[in-house]
Amino acid sequence: MTVHLHWFLPTGGDGRTLVDRHAYASNPVDRTRPVSGVRAPDIEYLAQIAKAAEQLGFEAVLTPTGTWCEDAWLTTVALAQHTERLKFLVAFRPGVISPTLAAQMAATYQRITRGRLLLNVVTGGDSAEQRRFGDHLDHDRRYARTDEFLSVVRGVWGGQPYDFDGAHYQVEGGLTALPPDPLPEIFFGGSSAAAGPVAARHADVYLTWGEPPAQVKEKIDWIRSLAEREGRRVRFGIRLHTLSRNSSAEAWSTANRLLDDLDGDTIAAAQAALGRSESVGQQRMLALHGGSRDKLEISPNLWAGVGLVRGGAGTALVGSHAEVADRIEEYHALGVEHFVLSGYPHLEEAYWFGEGVIPDLAARGLLPRTTTASGAPLLVGSGR
């Protein structure tokens, strides 16, 4: 079992700061005006990241979904024209789109990109965010709807008219005339009791946020047992930030600088907003640090500082290149195959990881031989 490495496309903006905090400020950032330290998510910049990820050996890039970012489908199909092999892990919410239309879109996407689509199904854990898109179901009913949604998607990918009569969807003769080839792998996450059975029935890859190894193992064991009851095998992935440097001291110094411009009021506002989330996974993230700057290294080389102001994935692997590779190897030993990584700023951190950690992972035999930081051969001149 080898490791699959993926990077992240910051379609809500990027920079040398934890940029997501604008969503929690009392006076949100005016996104039409330049802000010091923040880079706009224009297609030229995102193309730089995508090209870097492809060159460095990442298999795919995750594109988020939500109010504060560009549409993932449109952005990634545009970026597919700037890359050759890179796959796109497109996040989307099943409650705001017809399952038959989503199946058709996926099929079209596969033909346009020659098979470079992966799907990240995001059921949603924030009712306020869901209502912005016209979705008024509560947490558990959203997962029940996702269960039906994925049943329909897989049904209409079969190439024959498909009928479905559920509580949330009624489809008569649903059909994708030209099914996608290959079928996109479905990545799916969720830590609640309502989420587990849906993952067991439908996920190809169950994706968890970066909790300490012991907690990740508990999740793996939970989902694996549920999948076995369904007669299925689910693979596992983890979503983490990363900050690796030539030395551990340099990495930790850089991590601490990310928090230098965050005052107590900003952290308190972020924690209050995140605390209202219905997401069990989000509550587990918050519990790792309790809103305090103290003791943010919650496990060796696992830093919870990002989660002070950022929703979703709130932990980062911090350390020397070898230490970060050690932690990846540790998670891999638990059964994690897919690592969906990111860092601030995403362009520079892709190179730090790609040139520092990827060669180490390859030397340990954890990567396919073709997954290396590729490019022109290094030429060493004499005296020039």
Side-chain angles (χ1 to χ4, degrees):
M1 182 178 71
T2 57
V3 165
H4 299 266
L5 296 174
H6 313 287
W7 198 242
F8 186 83
L9 283 174
T11 58
D14 196 14
R16 300 178 185 277
T17 182
L18 300 178
V19 295
D20 274 20
R21 63 195 167 128
H22 71 266
Y24 313 111
S26 57
N27 295 303
V29 172
D30 181 352
R31 292 164 63 81
T32 66
R33 299 166 62 184
V35 178
S36 177
V38 176
R39 302 171 189 173
D42 55 53
I43 197 69
E44 290 81 11
Y45 179 62
L46 294 176
Q48 288 185 59
I49 298 173
K51 289 178 179 179
E54 181 172 74
Q55 180 186 21
L56 290 165
F58 291 98
E59 181 177 330
V61 284
L62 169 65
T63 306
T65 184
T67 299
W68 306 106
C69 52
E70 301 290 1
D71 176 75
W73 294 92
L74 296 175
T75 302
T76 56
V77 82
L79 290 172
Q81 311 310 304
H82 295 266
T83 53
E84 297 178 2
R85 304 174 307 280
L86 189 69
K87 296 179 182 179
F88 297 93
L89 180 50
V90 174
F92 73 100
R93 293 193 174 106
V96 297
I97 186 173
S98 153
T100 306
L101 177 59
Q104 184 183 45
M105 290 167 62
T108 301
Y109 197 113
Q110 287 295 61
R111 286 189 290 279
I112 289 174
T113 66
R114 295 179 177 86
R116 292 196 275 154
L117 175 66
L118 306 170
L119 293 175
N120 180 30
V121 177
V122 180
T123 298
D126 184 340
S127 289
E129 171 75 358
Q130 295 298 124
R131 288 194 296 270
R132 293 190 189 109
F133 291 88
D135 181 11
H136 293 267
L137 293 186
D138 62 27
H139 176 276
D140 286 3
R141 286 195 294 166
R142 288 199 293 269
Y143 277 102
R145 180 182 58 197
T146 296
D147 194 358
E148 293 188 8
F149 181 97
L150 292 174
S151 294
V152 173
V153 167
R154 291 199 183 277
V156 301
W157 277 344
Q160 299 294 326
Y162 177 79
D163 295 337
F164 185 87
D165 185 15
H168 301 280
Y169 298 105
Q170 296 80 44
V171 175
E172 297 179 10
L175 179 67
T176 302
L178 294 174
D181 183 19
L183 295 180
E185 288 187 296
I186 293 175
F187 287 63
F188 179 90
S191 299
S192 68
V198 182
R201 281 190 285 271
H202 299 288
D204 295 303
V205 178
Y206 175 81
L207 195 60
T208 181
W209 287 328
E211 299 178 1
Q215 295 179 29
V216 170
K217 183 181 184 304
E218 290 177 359
K219 277 190 175 180
I220 289 175
D221 291 344
W222 171 50
I223 296 297
R224 184 174 283 150
S225 67
L226 291 175
E228 287 174 353
R229 296 177 201 170
E230 299 286 338
R232 299 186 69 244
R233 176 183 177 272
V234 175
R235 286 169 287 120
F236 297 94
I238 193 167
R239 174 77 180 91
L240 287 158
H241 304 284
T242 180
L243 204 165
S244 72
R245 292 294 185 270
N246 295 330
S247 71
S248 183
E250 184 183 0
W252 284 109
S253 176
T254 304
N256 290 327
R257 280 201 300 273
L258 279 175
L259 301 182
D260 283 347
D261 62 346
L262 299 179
D263 57 36
D265 289 343
T266 299
I267 293 174
Q271 291 297 292
L274 293 170
R276 292 190 290 271
S277 173
E278 297 173 328
S279 166
V280 173
Q282 182 63 70
Q283 299 309 315
R284 290 169 68 106
M285 283 282 102
L286 295 178
L288 294 176
H289 52 69
S292 171
R293 292 175 182 258
D294 300 329
K295 299 179 181 178
L296 288 174
E297 188 178 5
I298 56 174
S299 183
N301 303 107
L302 185 64
W303 182 65
V306 179
L308 290 175
V309 290
R310 186 196 191 282
T315 54
L317 298 178
V318 179
S320 68
H321 303 311
E323 288 172 335
V324 170
D326 287 342
R327 300 287 78 77
I328 289 175
E329 189 169 20
E330 182 179 12
Y331 282 117
H332 180 255
L334 299 177
V336 177
E337 295 181 49
H338 292 264
F339 291 79
V340 184
L341 307 170
S342 55
Y344 296 95
H346 288 76
L347 181 60
E348 287 91 327
E349 289 300 331
Y351 277 102
W352 276 112
F353 186 92
E355 296 174 343
V357 181
I358 286 181
D360 194 326
L361 294 174
R364 301 179 190 209
L366 293 176
L367 297 178
R369 290 186 178 275
T370 56
T371 307
T372 59
S374 60
L378 180 64
L379 303 179
V380 181
S382 55
R384 289 185 294 172

